[in-house]
Amino acid sequence: TVTGTAWSHAGGKKTALSNGRPLFADDVLSTDAGSQLKILLRNDVATLIKDDTQVSLISESGGKDWTLKLERGSVLNIVRNPDKRPNHFQVRTKAAVMGVRGTVFFVQSKPRQPTFLCTCSGSVAVTSSDGRSSTVISGTAHDSPKSIVDGAGEIRGRLRPEVMGEDHSDAEGAELEKIFDKS
């Protein structure tokens, strides 16, 4: 569903998104200021793409799973039935790859700032962009937010404690959860 104005950039064309439109691998999605987009991937991942955000949809494992490449902005994600998924949904940023182990999690990527990760509930595996190091961040009730500093080296050494902030809420998570009821 679209609130405000959201776009698909595919094949050199910029097309306004409308409610119910199918999305495809390699689509680049963007939202304007004050707009948001809720998407459902494979009936078990719901994502809220917040305002002024750009993501790329990447098909993984022969179409069995998805990765969001977060170019800029913010996304809130809910993964349903993680134990029954053959693979793990991921969000990639310039600083790290966040692989879901069953959770609600929020990621924000802004230019010249560390990536922000809030494991709202559940667990997220955080892996360095080069894939050489990883750690798992678990949380309940937004109690483990982190910033991830860009760079090379051990991912644990690039994590910093953060405060939750006001960029996402439990109410948004509850609204996003309703997408599963409609599918």
Side-chain angles (χ1 to χ4, degrees):
T1 58
V2 179
T3 303
T5 308
W7 305 93
S8 172
H9 309 262
K13 285 178 51 179
K14 181 178 177 180
T15 306
L17 291 174
S18 58
N19 291 338
R21 180 188 180 274
L23 302 173
F24 302 97
D26 300 324
D27 278 357
V28 177
L29 309 174
S30 64
T31 55
D32 288 349
S35 300
Q36 65 181 20
L37 175 64
K38 294 176 189 169
I39 63 174
L40 179 64
L41 302 170
R42 292 207 48 186
N43 295 324
D44 54 4
V45 175
T47 298
L48 170 61
I49 300 170
K50 308 265 297 190
D51 74 317
D52 196 27
T53 295
Q54 181 172 318
V55 300
S56 298
L57 293 177
I58 302 168
S59 178
E60 300 280 357
S61 302
K64 294 181 181 174
D65 216 330
W66 292 93
T67 292
L68 288 182
K69 184 176 180 190
L70 180 58
E71 305 290 344
R72 69 171 172 9
S74 307
V75 292
L76 178 65
N77 308 279
I78 297 177
V79 179
R80 183 180 258 189
N81 299 323
D83 297 335
K84 296 181 179 163
R85 298 173 56 79
N87 301 292
H88 295 291
F89 171 73
Q90 298 178 334
V91 174
R92 294 181 184 271
T93 67
K94 63 186 181 299
V97 179
M98 276 93 6
V100 176
R101 302 290 187 248
T103 192
V104 177
F105 72 109
F106 175 81
V107 181
Q108 185 173 65
S109 180
K110 292 182 177 181
R112 298 172 301 283
Q113 291 184 18
T115 296
F116 175 82
L117 167 66
C118 180
T119 305
C120 307
S121 65
S123 298
V124 175
V126 181
T127 304
S128 60
S129 296
D130 63 10
R132 294 185 183 187
S133 67
S134 66
T135 190
V136 174
I137 299 173
S138 298
T140 57
H142 312 275
D143 61 354
S144 297
K146 306 284 185 207
S147 60
I148 307 167
V149 178
D150 292 348
E154 185 73 26
I155 194 72
R156 284 181 220 162
R158 296 189 291 122
L159 294 173
R160 306 287 184 270
E162 263 311 330
V163 295
M164 179 186 153
E166 298 178 8
D167 297 326
H168 66 292
S169 68
D170 288 332
E172 287 175 324
E175 276 299 309
L176 196 55
E177 183 76 32
K178 290 178 184 178
I179 291 176
F180 295 122
D181 298 335
K182 295 177 185 177
S183 65

